[in-house]
Amino acid sequence: FALRKCGLSESEVLFVGNQLNTDVCGGVSCGIRTVWISGEAHRSPDDIGADVKPDFVIKSMLELPDLMRHLSQLT
């Protein structure tokens, strides 16, 4: 719904979240590339046993600009 409202496709979006079992799983389920913020300060005890693989892993939001620059160079 949100992608249609914004006029975007799944390939134009990068979903960033700190929970594998909700954030990353939701993005993966919708066909959106995902970034997991994996740093210990951002981890959730709910993630134990989560069986989902993010496309990218960063330790904190401070790493996101570099990842975005890297991704923009690939296109």
Side-chain angles (χ1 to χ4, degrees):
F1 175 79
L3 294 178
R4 282 193 310 269
K5 287 295 264 182
C6 294
L8 298 169
S9 69
E10 291 85 351
S11 65
E12 297 175 289
V13 176
L14 188 63
F15 195 100
V16 180
N18 69 318
Q19 288 190 281
L20 287 171
N21 64 339
T22 55
D23 300 335
V24 173
C25 185
V28 168
S29 296
C30 292
I32 299 171
R33 292 180 299 169
T34 57
V35 178
W36 177 41
I37 307 169
S38 68
E40 194 168 324
H42 304 286
R43 288 207 180 153
S44 169
D46 296 341
D47 281 341
I48 295 172
D51 189 27
V52 64
K53 302 288 185 233
D55 295 292
F56 307 97
V57 178
I58 59 177
K59 291 186 181 190
S60 78
M61 287 294 287
L62 296 174
E63 295 177 46
L64 189 58
D66 286 338
L67 175 60
M68 296 298 296
R69 276 190 288 278
H70 172 74
L71 292 175
S72 70
Q73 293 172 356
L74 298 176
T75 58

Coordinates of all heavy atoms in Angstrom, one line a residue:
F1 N 0.8 -1.2 0.0 CA 0.0 0.0 0.0 C 0.9 1.3 0.0 O 0.7 2.2 -0.8 CB -0.9 0.0 1.2 CG -1.7 1.2 1.3 CD1 -2.9 1.4 0.5 CD2 -1.4 2.2 2.2 CE1 -3.6 2.6 0.7 CE2 -2.1 3.4 2.4 CZ -3.2 3.6 1.6
A2 N 1.9 1.3 0.9 CA 2.7 2.5 1.0 C 3.5 2.7 -0.2 O 3.7 3.9 -0.7 CB 3.6 2.3 2.2
L3 N 4.0 1.6 -0.8 CA 4.8 1.8 -2.1 C 3.9 2.4 -3.2 O 4.4 3.3 -3.9 CB 5.4 0.5 -2.5 CG 6.5 -0.1 -1.6 CD1 7.0 -1.4 -2.1 CD2 7.6 0.9 -1.4
R4 N 2.7 1.9 -3.3 CA 1.8 2.4 -4.3 C 1.5 3.8 -4.1 O 1.5 4.6 -5.0 CB 0.5 1.5 -4.4 CG 0.7 0.2 -5.1 CD -0.6 -0.4 -5.4 NE -1.5 -0.5 -4.2 CZ -1.6 -1.5 -3.4 NH1 -0.8 -2.6 -3.6 NH2 -2.4 -1.5 -2.4
K5 N 1.2 4.2 -2.8 CA 0.9 5.6 -2.5 C 2.0 6.5 -2.8 O 1.8 7.7 -3.2 CB 0.6 5.7 -1.0 CG -0.8 5.2 -0.6 CD -1.9 5.9 -1.3 CE -2.5 7.0 -0.3 NZ -3.6 7.7 -0.9
C6 N 3.3 6.0 -2.7 CA 4.5 6.9 -3.0 C 4.9 6.7 -4.4 O 5.9 7.4 -4.8 CB 5.6 6.5 -2.1 SG 5.3 6.8 -0.3
G7 N 4.3 5.8 -5.2 CA 4.7 5.7 -6.6 C 6.1 5.0 -6.7 O 6.8 5.3 -7.7
L8 N 6.4 4.1 -5.8 CA 7.7 3.4 -5.8 C 7.5 1.9 -6.0 O 6.5 1.4 -5.7 CB 8.4 3.6 -4.5 CG 8.8 5.1 -4.1 CD1 9.2 5.2 -2.7 CD2 9.8 5.6 -5.0
S9 N 8.6 1.3 -6.5 CA 8.6 -0.2 -6.7 C 9.5 -0.7 -5.6 O 10.3 0.0 -4.9 CB 9.1 -0.6 -8.0 OG 10.5 -0.3 -8.1
E10 N 9.4 -2.0 -5.3 CA 10.2 -2.7 -4.3 C 11.7 -2.4 -4.5 O 12.4 -2.3 -3.5 CB 9.9 -4.2 -4.3 CG 8.5 -4.5 -3.8 CD 7.5 -4.5 -4.9 OE1 7.8 -4.0 -6.0 OE2 6.4 -5.0 -4.6
S11 N 12.1 -2.4 -5.7 CA 13.6 -2.2 -6.0 C 14.1 -0.8 -5.7 O 15.3 -0.6 -5.7 CB 13.9 -2.6 -7.5 OG 13.2 -1.7 -8.3
E12 N 13.2 0.1 -5.5 CA 13.6 1.5 -5.2 C 13.6 1.8 -3.7 O 13.9 2.9 -3.3 CB 12.6 2.5 -5.8 CG 12.6 2.4 -7.3 CD 11.5 3.3 -7.9 OE1 10.3 3.0 -7.8 OE2 11.9 4.3 -8.5
V13 N 13.4 0.8 -2.9 CA 13.2 1.0 -1.4 C 14.3 0.1 -0.7 O 14.6 -1.0 -1.1 CB 11.8 0.6 -1.0 CG1 11.7 0.7 0.5 CG2 10.8 1.5 -1.7
L14 N 14.8 0.7 0.4 CA 15.7 0.0 1.3 C 15.0 0.0 2.7 O 14.9 1.1 3.2 CB 17.0 0.6 1.3 CG 18.2 -0.1 2.0 CD1 18.4 -1.5 1.4 CD2 19.4 0.7 2.0
F15 N 14.7 -1.1 3.2 CA 14.0 -1.2 4.6 C 15.1 -1.3 5.6 O 15.9 -2.3 5.6 CB 13.0 -2.3 4.6 CG 12.1 -2.3 5.7 CD1 10.8 -1.8 5.5 CD2 12.5 -2.6 7.0 CE1 9.9 -1.7 6.6 CE2 11.6 -2.6 8.1 CZ 10.3 -2.1 7.9
V16 N 15.2 -0.4 6.6 CA 16.2 -0.4 7.6 C 15.5 -0.7 9.0 O 14.5 0.0 9.3 CB 16.9 0.9 7.7 CG1 18.0 0.9 8.8 CG2 17.5 1.3 6.4
G17 N 16.0 -1.7 9.7 CA 15.4 -2.0 11.0 C 16.3 -2.7 11.9 O 17.4 -3.2 11.5
N18 N 16.0 -2.8 13.2 CA 16.9 -3.4 14.2 C 16.3 -4.7 14.7 O 17.0 -5.4 15.5 CB 17.1 -2.4 15.4 CG 15.8 -2.3 16.2 OD1 14.7 -2.1 15.7 ND2 16.0 -2.3 17.5
Q19 N 15.2 -5.2 14.2 CA 14.6 -6.4 14.6 C 14.5 -7.4 13.4 O 13.8 -7.1 12.4 CB 13.3 -6.3 15.3 CG 13.4 -5.6 16.6 CD 12.1 -5.7 17.4 OE1 11.2 -4.9 17.1 NE2 12.0 -6.7 18.3
L20 N 15.2 -8.5 13.5 CA 15.1 -9.5 12.4 C 13.7 -10.1 12.3 O 13.2 -10.2 11.2 CB 16.1 -10.7 12.7 CG 17.6 -10.3 12.6 CD1 18.4 -11.5 13.1 CD2 17.9 -10.0 11.1
N21 N 13.1 -10.4 13.4 CA 11.8 -11.2 13.3 C 10.6 -10.3 12.9 O 9.6 -10.8 12.5 CB 11.5 -11.9 14.6 CG 11.3 -10.9 15.8 OD1 11.8 -9.8 15.7 ND2 10.7 -11.4 16.8
T22 N 10.8 -9.0 12.9 CA 9.7 -8.1 12.5 C 10.1 -7.2 11.4 O 9.6 -7.3 10.3 CB 9.1 -7.3 13.7 OG1 10.2 -6.5 14.3 CG2 8.5 -8.1 14.8
D23 N 11.1 -6.3 11.6 CA 11.5 -5.4 10.6 C 12.0 -6.0 9.4 O 11.5 -5.9 8.3 CB 12.6 -4.4 11.2 CG 12.1 -3.6 12.4 OD1 10.9 -3.4 12.5 OD2 13.0 -3.3 13.2
V24 N 13.1 -6.8 9.5 CA 13.7 -7.4 8.4 C 12.8 -8.5 7.7 O 12.7 -8.5 6.5 CB 15.1 -8.1 8.8 CG1 15.7 -8.9 7.7 CG2 16.0 -7.0 9.3
C25 N 12.1 -9.3 8.5 CA 11.2 -10.3 8.0 C 10.1 -9.6 7.2 O 9.8 -10.1 6.1 CB 10.6 -11.1 9.2 SG 9.6 -12.4 8.6
G26 N 9.6 -8.5 7.6 CA 8.5 -7.8 6.9 C 9.0 -7.3 5.6 O 8.4 -7.4 4.5
G27 N 10.2 -6.7 5.6 CA 10.8 -6.2 4.3 C 11.0 -7.3 3.3 O 10.7 -7.2 2.1
V28 N 11.6 -8.4 3.8 CA 11.9 -9.6 3.0 C 10.6 -10.1 2.4 O 10.5 -10.5 1.2 CB 12.7 -10.7 3.7 CG1 12.7 -12.0 3.0 CG2 14.1 -10.2 4.1
S29 N 9.6 -10.2 3.2 CA 8.3 -10.8 2.8 C 7.7 -9.9 1.7 O 6.9 -10.4 0.9 CB 7.3 -10.8 4.0 OG 7.8 -11.7 4.9
C30 N 8.0 -8.6 1.7 CA 7.4 -7.7 0.6 C 8.3 -7.6 -0.6 O 8.0 -6.8 -1.5 CB 7.2 -6.4 1.2 SG 5.9 -6.4 2.5
G31 N 9.5 -8.3 -0.6 CA 10.4 -8.2 -1.7 C 11.2 -7.0 -1.7 O 11.7 -6.5 -2.7
I32 N 11.4 -6.4 -0.5 CA 12.2 -5.1 -0.4 C 13.6 -5.5 0.2 O 13.7 -6.3 1.1 CB 11.5 -4.2 0.6 CG1 10.2 -3.8 0.0 CG2 12.4 -2.9 0.8 CD1 9.3 -3.0 0.9
R33 N 14.7 -4.9 -0.4 CA 16.0 -5.1 0.2 C 16.0 -4.6 1.6 O 15.4 -3.6 1.9 CB 17.1 -4.4 -0.6 CG 17.2 -5.0 -2.0 CD 18.3 -4.2 -2.8 NE 17.9 -2.8 -2.9 CZ 18.7 -1.9 -3.4 NH1 19.9 -2.1 -3.7 NH2 18.2 -0.6 -3.5
T34 N 16.7 -5.3 2.5 CA 16.7 -5.0 3.9 C 18.1 -4.7 4.5 O 19.1 -5.3 4.0 CB 16.1 -6.1 4.7 OG1 16.8 -7.3 4.5 CG2 14.6 -6.3 4.3
V35 N 18.1 -3.9 5.5 CA 19.3 -3.6 6.3 C 19.0 -3.9 7.7 O 18.0 -3.3 8.2 CB 19.8 -2.1 6.1 CG1 21.0 -1.8 7.0 CG2 20.0 -1.7 4.7
W36 N 19.8 -4.7 8.3 CA 19.6 -4.9 9.8 C 20.7 -4.2 10.6 O 21.9 -4.3 10.3 CB 19.8 -6.4 10.0 CG 19.7 -6.8 11.5 CD1 18.8 -6.3 12.4 CD2 20.5 -7.8 12.2 NE1 19.0 -6.9 13.6 CE2 20.0 -7.8 13.5 CE3 21.5 -8.6 11.8 CZ2 20.6 -8.7 14.5 CZ3 22.1 -9.4 12.7 CH2 21.6 -9.4 14.1
I37 N 20.2 -3.4 11.5 CA 21.1 -2.7 12.4 C 21.4 -3.7 13.6 O 20.6 -3.9 14.4 CB 20.5 -1.4 13.0 CG1 19.9 -0.5 11.9 CG2 21.5 -0.6 13.9 CD1 19.1 0.6 12.4
S38 N 22.6 -4.3 13.5 CA 22.9 -5.4 14.4 C 23.6 -5.1 15.7 O 23.9 -6.0 16.5 CB 23.8 -6.4 13.6 OG 25.0 -5.8 13.3
G39 N 24.0 -3.8 15.9 CA 24.8 -3.5 17.1 C 24.1 -3.9 18.3 O 22.9 -3.9 18.4
E40 N 24.9 -4.3 19.3 CA 24.3 -4.8 20.6 C 23.3 -3.8 21.2 O 22.3 -4.2 21.8 CB 25.4 -5.1 21.6 CG 25.0 -5.9 22.7 CD 26.1 -6.5 23.5 OE1 27.2 -6.8 23.0 OE2 26.0 -6.5 24.8
A41 N 23.6 -2.5 21.1 CA 22.7 -1.5 21.7 C 21.3 -1.5 21.0 O 20.3 -1.0 21.6 CB 23.3 -0.1 21.5
H42 N 21.2 -2.1 19.8 CA 20.0 -2.1 19.1 C 19.3 -3.4 19.0 O 18.2 -3.5 18.5 CB 20.2 -1.6 17.6 CG 20.9 -0.3 17.5 ND1 20.3 0.9 17.8 CD2 22.2 0.0 17.2 CE1 21.2 1.8 17.6 NE2 22.3 1.3 17.3
R43 N 19.9 -4.4 19.6 CA 19.3 -5.8 19.5 C 18.1 -6.0 20.4 O 18.0 -5.4 21.4 CB 20.4 -6.8 19.9 CG 21.5 -6.9 18.8 CD 22.1 -8.3 18.8 NE 23.1 -8.3 17.8 CZ 24.1 -9.0 17.8 NH1 24.3 -9.9 18.8 NH2 25.0 -9.0 16.8
S44 N 17.3 -6.9 20.0 CA 16.1 -7.2 20.7 C 16.1 -8.6 21.2 O 16.5 -9.5 20.4 CB 14.9 -7.0 19.8 OG 13.7 -7.5 20.4
P45 N 15.7 -8.9 22.4 CA 15.7 -10.3 22.8 C 14.7 -11.2 22.0 O 14.8 -12.4 22.0 CB 15.3 -10.3 24.3 CG 14.8 -8.9 24.6 CD 15.3 -8.0 23.4
D46 N 13.8 -10.5 21.3 CA 12.8 -11.3 20.5 C 13.5 -11.9 19.3 O 12.9 -12.7 18.6 CB 11.7 -10.3 20.0 CG 10.9 -9.8 21.1 OD1 10.9 -10.4 22.2 OD2 10.2 -8.7 20.9
D47 N 14.7 -11.5 18.9 CA 15.3 -12.0 17.7 C 16.0 -13.3 17.9 O 16.4 -13.9 16.9 CB 16.4 -11.0 17.3 CG 15.8 -9.8 16.5 OD1 14.6 -9.9 16.1 OD2 16.5 -8.8 16.4
I48 N 16.0 -13.9 19.1 CA 16.6 -15.2 19.3 C 15.9 -16.2 18.4 O 14.6 -16.3 18.5 CB 16.6 -15.6 20.8 CG1 17.4 -14.6 21.6 CG2 17.0 -17.0 21.0 CD1 17.3 -14.8 23.0
G49 N 16.6 -16.9 17.6 CA 16.0 -17.9 16.7 C 15.3 -17.4 15.5 O 14.8 -18.2 14.7
A50 N 15.4 -16.1 15.2 CA 14.8 -15.5 14.0 C 15.5 -16.1 12.8 O 16.8 -16.2 12.7 CB 15.0 -14.0 14.0
D51 N 14.8 -16.6 11.8 CA 15.3 -17.3 10.7 C 15.1 -16.5 9.4 O 14.3 -16.9 8.5 CB 14.7 -18.7 10.5 CG 15.4 -19.5 9.5 OD1 16.6 -19.3 9.2 OD2 14.7 -20.4 8.9
V52 N 15.7 -15.3 9.3 CA 15.6 -14.4 8.2 C 17.0 -13.8 7.9 O 17.7 -13.6 8.9 CB 14.5 -13.3 8.4 CG1 14.9 -12.4 9.5 CG2 14.3 -12.6 7.2
K53 N 17.3 -13.6 6.7 CA 18.6 -13.1 6.3 C 18.4 -11.7 5.6 O 17.8 -11.6 4.6 CB 19.3 -14.0 5.3 CG 19.5 -15.4 5.8 CD 20.6 -15.5 6.8 CE 20.8 -16.9 7.2 NZ 20.7 -17.2 8.6
P54 N 19.0 -10.7 6.3 CA 18.9 -9.3 5.7 C 19.9 -9.3 4.5 O 20.9 -10.1 4.4 CB 19.4 -8.4 6.8 CG 20.3 -9.3 7.6 CD 19.7 -10.7 7.6
D55 N 19.7 -8.3 3.6 CA 20.6 -8.1 2.5 C 21.9 -7.5 2.9 O 22.9 -7.8 2.4 CB 19.9 -7.3 1.4 CG 18.7 -8.0 0.8 OD1 18.9 -9.0 0.1 OD2 17.6 -7.5 1.0
F56 N 21.8 -6.6 3.9 CA 22.9 -5.9 4.4 C 22.9 -5.8 5.9 O 21.8 -5.8 6.5 CB 23.0 -4.4 3.9 CG 22.9 -4.4 2.4 CD1 21.7 -4.2 1.7 CD2 24.0 -4.6 1.6 CE1 21.6 -4.1 0.4 CE2 23.9 -4.6 0.2 CZ 22.7 -4.3 -0.4
V57 N 24.0 -5.8 6.6 CA 24.1 -5.7 8.0 C 25.0 -4.5 8.4 O 26.2 -4.4 7.8 CB 24.7 -7.0 8.6 CG1 24.8 -6.8 10.1 CG2 23.8 -8.2 8.3
I58 N 24.6 -3.6 9.2 CA 25.4 -2.5 9.8 C 25.3 -2.6 11.3 O 24.3 -3.1 11.8 CB 25.0 -1.2 9.2 CG1 23.5 -0.9 9.5 CG2 25.2 -1.1 7.7 CD1 23.0 0.5 9.1
K59 N 26.3 -2.0 12.0 CA 26.2 -2.1 13.4 C 25.5 -0.9 14.0 O 24.9 -1.0 15.1 CB 27.6 -2.1 14.0 CG 28.3 -3.4 13.7 CD 29.6 -3.5 14.4 CE 30.2 -4.9 14.0 NZ 31.4 -5.2 14.8
S60 N 25.4 0.2 13.3 CA 24.7 1.4 13.8 C 24.2 2.2 12.6 O 24.7 2.1 11.4 CB 25.6 2.3 14.7 OG 26.5 3.0 13.9
M61 N 23.3 3.2 12.8 CA 22.8 4.1 11.8 C 24.0 4.9 11.2 O 23.8 5.4 10.1 CB 21.7 5.0 12.3 CG 20.4 4.3 12.6 SD 19.7 3.7 11.1 CE 19.1 5.2 10.4
L62 N 25.1 5.1 11.9 CA 26.2 5.9 11.4 C 26.8 5.3 10.2 O 27.4 6.0 9.4 CB 27.3 6.0 12.5 CG 26.8 6.8 13.8 CD1 27.9 6.7 14.8 CD2 26.5 8.2 13.4
E63 N 26.6 4.0 10.0 CA 27.1 3.3 8.8 C 26.2 3.4 7.6 O 26.6 3.1 6.5 CB 27.4 1.8 9.1 CG 28.4 1.6 10.2 CD 28.6 0.1 10.5 OE1 28.6 -0.7 9.6 OE2 28.6 -0.2 11.7
L64 N 25.0 3.8 7.8 CA 24.0 3.9 6.7 C 24.4 4.8 5.6 O 24.3 4.4 4.4 CB 22.6 4.2 7.3 CG 21.5 4.1 6.3 CD1 21.4 2.7 5.7 CD2 20.2 4.5 6.9
P65 N 24.9 6.0 5.8 CA 25.3 6.8 4.7 C 26.3 6.2 3.8 O 26.2 6.3 2.5 CB 25.9 8.1 5.3 CG 25.2 8.2 6.7 CD 25.0 6.7 7.1
D66 N 27.3 5.5 4.3 CA 28.3 4.8 3.5 C 27.7 3.7 2.7 O 28.0 3.5 1.5 CB 29.5 4.2 4.4 CG 30.4 5.3 4.9 OD1 30.5 6.4 4.3 OD2 31.1 5.0 5.9
L67 N 26.8 2.9 3.3 CA 26.1 1.9 2.6 C 25.3 2.5 1.4 O 25.3 2.0 0.3 CB 25.2 1.1 3.5 CG 24.3 0.0 2.8 CD1 25.1 -1.0 2.1 CD2 23.4 -0.6 3.8
M68 N 24.6 3.6 1.7 CA 23.8 4.2 0.6 C 24.7 4.7 -0.5 O 24.3 4.6 -1.7 CB 23.0 5.4 1.2 CG 22.0 5.0 2.3 SD 20.7 3.9 1.6 CE 19.9 5.0 0.4
R69 N 25.8 5.3 -0.2 CA 26.7 5.7 -1.2 C 27.2 4.6 -2.1 O 27.3 4.6 -3.3 CB 27.9 6.5 -0.6 CG 27.7 7.9 -0.4 CD 28.9 8.7 0.0 NE 29.4 8.3 1.3 CZ 29.0 8.9 2.5 NH1 28.0 9.7 2.4 NH2 29.4 8.5 3.6
H70 N 27.5 3.5 -1.4 CA 28.0 2.3 -2.1 C 26.9 1.7 -3.0 O 27.2 1.4 -4.2 CB 28.4 1.2 -1.1 CG 28.7 -0.1 -1.7 ND1 29.8 -0.4 -2.4 CD2 28.0 -1.3 -1.7 CE1 29.8 -1.6 -2.8 NE2 28.7 -2.2 -2.4
L71 N 25.7 1.7 -2.5 CA 24.6 1.2 -3.4 C 24.3 2.1 -4.6 O 24.0 1.6 -5.6 CB 23.3 1.0 -2.5 CG 23.4 -0.1 -1.5 CD1 22.1 -0.1 -0.6 CD2 23.6 -1.5 -2.1
S72 N 24.4 3.4 -4.3 CA 24.1 4.3 -5.4 C 25.2 4.2 -6.6 O 24.9 4.4 -7.7 CB 24.1 5.8 -5.0 OG 25.3 6.2 -4.6
Q73 N 26.4 3.8 -6.2 CA 27.4 3.6 -7.2 C 27.2 2.3 -8.0 O 27.7 2.2 -9.2 CB 28.8 3.5 -6.5 CG 29.2 4.8 -5.9 CD 30.5 4.7 -5.1 OE1 31.0 3.6 -4.9 NE2 30.9 5.9 -4.6
L74 N 26.4 1.4 -7.5 CA 26.2 0.1 -8.2 C 25.1 0.3 -9.3 O 25.0 -0.6 -10.2 CB 25.8 -1.0 -7.2 CG 26.8 -1.3 -6.2 CD1 26.2 -2.4 -5.2 CD2 28.1 -1.9 -6.8
T75 N 24.3 1.3 -9.2 CA 23.2 1.5 -10.2 C 23.6 2.4 -11.3 O 24.5 3.1 -11.4 CB 22.0 2.0 -9.5 OG1 22.2 3.2 -8.8 CG2 21.4 1.0 -8.5

